[in-house]
Amino acid sequence: MTLYLDASAIVPLFVAEAGTDPVLKVLTDHPDLPLVGDFALGEVASALGRLARIGLISFERASAALAMADNWRLVGTETPAFDPVDIRVAASLVRRFELKLRLPDAIHAATCQRLDATLVTFDRRLADAASALGLAVIVPA
């Protein structure tokens, strides 16, 4: 089984929070290198910046966490190739209003679909939509 992590599953690896142990358990239970794309890492940077802007972590801690995430991505993950078809598929998914997807989440779903990967996310809306699309999903618990 190939795992694909979205930002909600990556951030807890570098900033201690309630989701840290559950994500670590998923990665331990599935020892193959997970897939982490450029888009997900961009979202990680955004999330860390937001945590710093609202004062939950310092800007220095956010920068250190991002550096650790960058290093982990290089040595502990596989990077799937970007494919423009993912954007086209995602655009069609957001038009399916019953899925309640925002475009960033639809991009993750479309990428997982193309790669036949299991999505790892804490985002319930994304998890529900991915399941409705027939994708395998793990919500760490």
Side-chain angles (χ1 to χ4, degrees):
M1 170 186 319
T2 302
L3 301 180
Y4 174 99
L5 279 64
D6 79 342
S8 73
I10 298 169
V11 171
L13 295 172
F14 303 101
V15 176
E17 59 180 60
T20 299
D21 288 338
V23 171
L24 289 172
K25 180 169 178 5
V26 168
L27 292 176
T28 299
D29 291 347
H30 302 89
D32 291 340
L33 296 179
L35 299 174
V36 174
D38 293 327
F39 184 72
L41 207 58
E43 285 191 310
V44 168
S46 178
L48 291 170
R50 180 181 177 281
L51 291 174
R53 286 189 306 277
I54 65 174
L56 292 179
I57 61 175
S58 69
F59 285 103
E60 294 79 15
R61 178 70 186 104
S63 293
L66 186 56
M68 289 187 294
D70 287 337
N71 185 60
W72 170 72
R73 181 164 177 237
L74 291 174
V75 300
T77 73
E78 295 286 336
T79 303
F82 172 77
D83 191 326
V85 75
D86 295 338
I87 304 300
R88 287 191 298 277
V89 170
S92 71
L93 294 177
V94 297
R95 291 169 178 262
R96 293 180 55 186
F97 301 131
E98 75 279 5
L99 294 175
K100 302 175 186 171
L101 282 172
R102 295 171 298 147
L103 185 61
D105 294 338
I107 293 170
H108 289 303
T111 303
C112 282
Q113 194 171 45
R114 175 176 57 86
L115 299 172
D116 192 29
T118 298
L119 175 65
V120 180
T121 185
F122 282 103
D123 183 330
R124 278 298 341 167
R125 184 180 306 174
L126 173 55
D128 291 346
S131 292
L133 293 167
L135 300 175
V137 179
I138 295 174
V139 176

